[in-house]
Amino acid sequence: MSTELLPPVAPEVLAEAVEQLTARLRKKLDAAVAECGERAEAGPDGAVVVRFGEDTLVTLRPGPGGAVTAAGQAVCSCLLAPRCLHRAAVLGAAPLADPAATAPEPAPEAAPAPSASEATGPAEDPAAPLTPARAGAADALWRAAAEALSAGVGAGGAVVQAELLRAAHSARLAGLPRAEAAALRVVRGLRAAREQARGQRLGDLTAAFRELLAAAALLASGAAGPELTGSGRRAYAQGGSLRVHGLCREPVLSATGYGGVTTHLLGPGGAFHTLSDVRPGGLARARGAGTASVALGGAVLDHAGLARGGLLVAGATVSADGRLGAGRDVRATPVRGADWSEEPVAALFARPVREAVAEAFDAGPEAAAVLLGCDVEVLGATGDHLLVRVLDGGPLVRLAPAHPHPELPHTANLRRIGACPGLVLRVLGRPDPDRTATLRPLAVGPVPGAAGTLRLPEEWRGHADLGYDRLQGDHFPRGAAAPVPVPEAPDPLADAPLWRVRRLLESGVAGGRRAVAEAARAADRAALSVPLRRAGLSGAAELAEALAAEADRRPRDSFGRLVDPSPDAYARAWLASAVHLAAAERALVTASWS
């Protein structure tokens, strides 16, 4: 199904359209949605039209932001409109709009002005007590997520997705934007899985369900902290005067059509900061934004220059995750930056790797801004990654592309580096919390004083941004060593029998409650729990057994007839096993950096 012509649709508009359908029409909705993409045509004045037969025409007229944000922007010519299948099907086939695209524009005097990826609605106090509205919204999210989990991808069609979208909108109105975002991730994951979209991973959808159910349960209980409540608009605090040094820049490419660049900066005391320019535009925007002007306090500098320079910022505003705001009173002056071999940047590469990894994993929502630096020796390429060894007796580490999109140079640059075994280089990147000792490098540079290291142009100021700069043959030392067999790196995560639990959880996401019950019946439950207990993972074994038992439970009514079990107990059993698995895997990943 091709939906390229259809404009994004606000989640609440789609949810309302599905709610208006009769039970009979809801049964036909998924089949109607599948047919809409091929029927879309460009109409006059920026409209998009979808024709059903000879007499029925659905017209979408997106607003100034390019999204359908009101019910009146989607009309159908049939007699049942707006409670018709045609209109709901077209809205269901269109991509979901990002909350930023449907948010009201901030006032001109607001400081700092949020970017398109920041403004998601009216600001809320994240520390406010649990109100009845928030409790009701969290409970609705839990019920909708539990129903979707019990149904699985196969039965998670437009009606199930609409229930999630309605609950997500209620969460937004109640001031729970983080929970809303978690629900939208689940819906997008369900759509991608049902359409078998390229790059879709069942593990990602499993993680999205875990995050949504955990957030909804904690919010409904009143035990959630501000980090789970979130805020509708990124909050900035006064940061005074700051001198920041550029570290590197990375392209940003989102599944919702946004693209741009994030430049990573190092501030006083080793604090990480970022400056982003992310707007609608996708890949073209991500590639071009690397040389776009920096929108901060009138600074005459582009992101390429900032990544290799510095800024002196007066009246700085800083968010909790280190992002610099562009408020009205902010003033920025370009200053000389620090080479990676100079302080304070050089201190990043002198820090013990395990200590830096622990800080990155403990950063929570701010983890994306925490980078790890280390000096490594390249051993060679194996599979989808490079194998390197941290110098001075450090661990074996895998280098995997930070952005695998083929139009971005990350993969090509790593391939060139992998062809030079014995090369020593300085790496700055983001540790992957889901893979054993894996680093997603954003930039590389030469190791000071080393002979067999990179030789970069002087204008690159000692490092290459892997998402924008392209390494060439003359950037490598002459007489590179011949390829040698790459040693097998230990992988405690793959060796542990936790994969049995992961497979059980993913089976539930793909096929719903029935798939978990069938999987537990087909393979003797002892075959699931015994390997876990032998490995000392008795907690994982008990939770997996409880999940299998609950999935297979078939209650009866007072007359002895089989009835559909409530999804609530099943969702709680699934969530308990998923949370335990995530914690066990994180412990193994952290230990692999030793």
Side-chain angles (χ1 to χ4, degrees):
M1 180 177 67
S2 175
T3 60
E4 295 180 357
L5 280 178
L6 295 175
V9 172
E12 61 271 21
V13 175
L14 171 57
E16 181 184 6
V18 175
E19 185 178 18
Q20 292 176 336
L21 296 179
T22 64
R24 182 179 63 84
L25 292 180
R26 290 187 183 190
K27 294 178 181 179
K28 302 179 179 180
L29 183 56
D30 287 334
V33 167
E35 300 175 1
C36 291
E38 305 299 334
R39 299 179 176 181
E41 300 176 0
D45 300 326
V48 176
V49 296
V50 181
R51 187 175 298 279
F52 292 84
E54 297 182 359
D55 303 325
T56 303
L57 195 67
V58 178
T59 304
L60 302 183
R61 298 188 183 277
V68 175
T69 59
Q73 294 173 347
V75 296
C76 180
S77 61
C78 78
L79 297 177
L80 291 179
R83 297 177 173 83
C84 63
L85 180 64
H86 315 110
R87 178 173 176 271
V90 174
L91 291 174
L96 287 178
D98 190 271
T102 62
E105 291 295 323
E109 67 273 15
S115 70
S117 60
E118 295 168 352
T120 59
E124 297 286 344
D125 179 10
L130 184 68
T131 63
R134 286 185 168 182
D139 186 60
L141 271 176
W142 170 269
R143 292 197 307 271
E147 290 282 358
L149 178 67
S150 184
V153 170
V159 175
V160 171
Q161 295 170 25
E163 292 297 327
L164 276 168
L165 294 177
R166 184 182 297 108
H169 185 57
S170 298
R172 182 181 187 182
L173 295 178
L176 301 174
R178 186 155 291 165
E180 177 205 13
L184 294 182
R185 282 195 295 273
V186 169
V187 174
R188 291 190 176 103
L190 285 172
R191 287 187 168 195
R194 289 176 62 83
E195 296 169 7
Q196 298 181 348
R198 181 180 178 184
Q200 186 272 337
R201 294 176 61 247
L202 188 58
D204 293 338
L205 182 55
T206 302
F209 264 111
R210 184 189 71 237
E211 293 168 6
L212 174 58
L213 288 167
L218 287 171
L219 288 167
S221 68
E227 70 281 356
L228 268 182
T229 304
S231 59
R233 188 165 289 158
R234 191 181 302 273
Y236 288 81
Q238 294 298 323
S241 295
L242 292 177
R243 178 165 184 157
V244 293
H245 301 275
L247 294 175
C248 64
R249 60 196 161 133
E250 68 167 317
V252 177
L253 188 61
S254 78
T256 56
Y258 283 81
V261 62
T262 291
T263 297
H264 295 267
L265 309 162
L266 187 67
F272 289 101
H273 296 284
T274 59
L275 190 61
S276 298
D277 181 3
V278 181
R279 303 179 189 277
L283 177 63
R285 183 73 174 62
R287 297 173 66 177
T291 53
S293 298
V294 172
L296 182 69
V300 185
L301 198 65
D302 60 21
H303 281 272
L306 178 57
R308 295 180 167 93
L311 284 177
L312 184 61
V313 186
T317 54
V318 186
S319 69
D321 60 355
R323 181 173 299 193
L324 297 181
R328 180 178 56 187
D329 298 327
V330 177
R331 295 291 179 269
T333 304
V335 295
R336 181 186 180 277
D339 189 274
W340 279 14
S341 61
E342 302 172 354
E343 296 296 343
V345 179
L348 293 178
F349 303 93
R351 191 178 184 188
V353 170
R354 180 176 174 82
E355 178 184 319
V357 168
E359 178 186 343
F361 287 169
D362 291 342
E366 290 78 46
V370 179
L371 303 181
L372 180 151
C374 56
D375 295 342
V376 303
E377 178 187 2
V378 176
L379 302 181
T382 173
D384 64 345
H385 59 266
L386 307 185
L387 191 63
V388 301
R389 184 183 298 278
V390 177
L391 298 183
D392 299 327
L396 290 174
V397 175
R398 299 163 179 81
L399 301 185
H403 299 276
H405 197 287
E407 296 297 322
L408 297 175
H410 290 276
T411 301
N413 282 330
L414 285 186
R415 190 179 296 117
R416 278 190 171 273
I417 293 172
C420 297
L423 178 74
V424 293
L425 69 159
R426 185 157 277 188
V427 181
L428 185 67
R430 188 178 294 113
D432 190 333
D434 300 321
R435 295 182 62 176
T436 301
T438 299
L439 187 67
R440 304 279 180 176
L442 303 180
V444 295
V447 175
T453 190
L454 293 174
R455 303 183 303 174
L456 301 180
E458 185 176 349
E459 60 269 21
W460 286 12
R461 293 297 305 275
H463 75 267
D465 296 329
L466 296 179
Y468 289 103
D469 302 321
R470 291 187 179 270
L471 295 173
Q472 306 295 334
D474 57 353
H475 296 154
F476 294 87
R478 292 188 176 88
V484 296
V486 180
E488 195 69 32
D491 192 344
L493 188 59
D495 296 338
L498 288 171
W499 63 266
R500 299 174 183 272
V501 181
R502 191 183 315 113
R503 185 172 64 181
L504 185 67
L505 294 171
E506 291 180 354
S507 295
V509 171
R513 178 181 192 139
R514 184 175 300 177
V516 174
E518 291 295 335
R521 288 196 208 107
D524 183 8
R525 290 187 186 177
L528 171 66
S529 59
V530 169
L532 292 168
R533 295 184 190 279
R534 285 176 178 170
L537 300 168
S538 58
E542 292 174 3
L543 291 171
E545 289 175 338
L547 172 60
E550 177 58 36
D552 203 23
R553 185 174 64 87
R554 299 295 303 277
R556 295 179 181 271
D557 62 13
S558 56
F559 296 100
R561 295 171 298 193
L562 289 173
V563 296
D564 291 334
S566 167
D568 184 75
Y570 170 73
R572 292 189 184 280
W574 188 95
L575 177 60
S577 189
V579 169
H580 184 278
L581 174 66
E585 290 182 333
R586 179 62 56 85
L588 290 174
V589 169
T590 303
S592 70
W593 285 90
S594 299

